[in-house]
Amino acid sequence: MKKNIAIIMGGYSTEVNISIKSGNVVYDHLDREKYMPYRILISEEKWVALDALNTEYSVDKNDFSFVLKGEKILFDCVFNAIHGTPGEDGALLAYLNLIQLKHTSAPFYQMALTFNKRDTLSVVQAYGIKTATAVYLNKGDAIDLDAIISKVGLPCFIKPNKAGSSFGISKAHTKETILPAITIAFKEDTEILIESFLEGTEVSVGIISFEGITKVLPITEIVSENDFFDYEAKYNGKSEEITPARITEKQQEKVKKAAKKIYEILNLTGISRSEFIFVNDEPYFLEINMVPGLTAESILPQQALAAGISLQSLFGNAITAALKK
């Protein structure tokens, strides 16, 4: 019997269009001999299933089902392709847990933790993982620019605490540019980070649970044409992504060890991608993405292909692992 797979995409954040692209790639590459995939578009206005002609069918939130040609479609597993809330922050996964529906992501608490940059950094620092120096602000807090600069220096990065795809991130080179950057970040989230600038080679490390083992994928080096790896660099061709990364064997060993340690410290499962910057051969951890981009051009699928793993195998493996949980 083929398994019915719901591929959830969309979401409530500014990453909605990227998520839809990822979801469609998963839909196109799932093995039709094993799975019957259905695309489920999640938005604040509606939850709907889409057929091949993009006709919409309302999803019953009582059991996450829908009716197609008089037949009630129930799912064996949900493939999570929602970047941002409510897929990547654990909210929707807590609901799936309540209705006892399996999914391809880590448990909802781990997803909520990793989506919160501040809390993730706080946890991994206790295990000796190196990170940038940071100041945390909540919306409405008093802002002392001199104290911020004294702690993190210039230039510095201003980031929303819970957002992806580099939305709302700015690099401030002067004291005068920090406040406008804070305003931009607060448009994405009510909590922000202000981090010290780390100069060095930036790399991305994909880790997946593959055939029952934790597998570190070939490392990607990020070379941005812009001042940093911002939205334009990520999605509009303003960066070069080199897999495998042009780093030394020693650097490779260190960053693989750090990425795997973080994956295991946080008790993760499923697909992940961690970002690091090398400073004097030491990898400094920036953040982790638990629903990374899944288009053919995205970093993690590139890494999987470099490891000899096809997109069909990558996505199928995620479902197989989820069904065994």
Side-chain angles (χ1 to χ4, degrees), residues 234-293:
K234 282 185 179 179
Y235 299 108
N236 295 335
K238 295 292 185 179
S239 69
E240 189 178 2
E241 295 153 10
I242 302 164
T243 308
R246 299 169 301 180
I247 56 177
T248 66
E249 191 172 322
K250 180 181 178 183
Q251 288 175 323
Q252 187 175 140
E253 287 175 7
K254 283 188 174 183
V255 77
K256 280 187 172 183
K257 183 179 179 181
K260 189 174 181 182
K261 185 176 181 180
I262 290 166
Y263 192 89
E264 293 171 347
I265 286 168
L266 300 177
N267 218 6
L268 302 179
T269 56
I271 296 170
S272 78
R273 200 189 74 228
S274 298
E275 316 303 326
F276 295 85
I277 286 182
F278 280 101
V279 179
N280 298 326
D281 279 348
E282 292 296 326
Y284 280 66
F285 173 63
L286 302 178
E287 64 180 36
I288 188 167
N289 301 284
M290 289 303 296
V291 187

Side-chain angles (χ1 to χ4, degrees), residues 5 16 62 74-75 96 180 212 222 246 257-258 262 273 289:
I5 308 299
V16 57
N62 289 299
L74 289 162
F75 295 106
L96 295 177
I222 308 297
R246 299 169 301 180
K257 183 179 179 181
I262 290 166
R273 200 189 74 228
N289 301 284

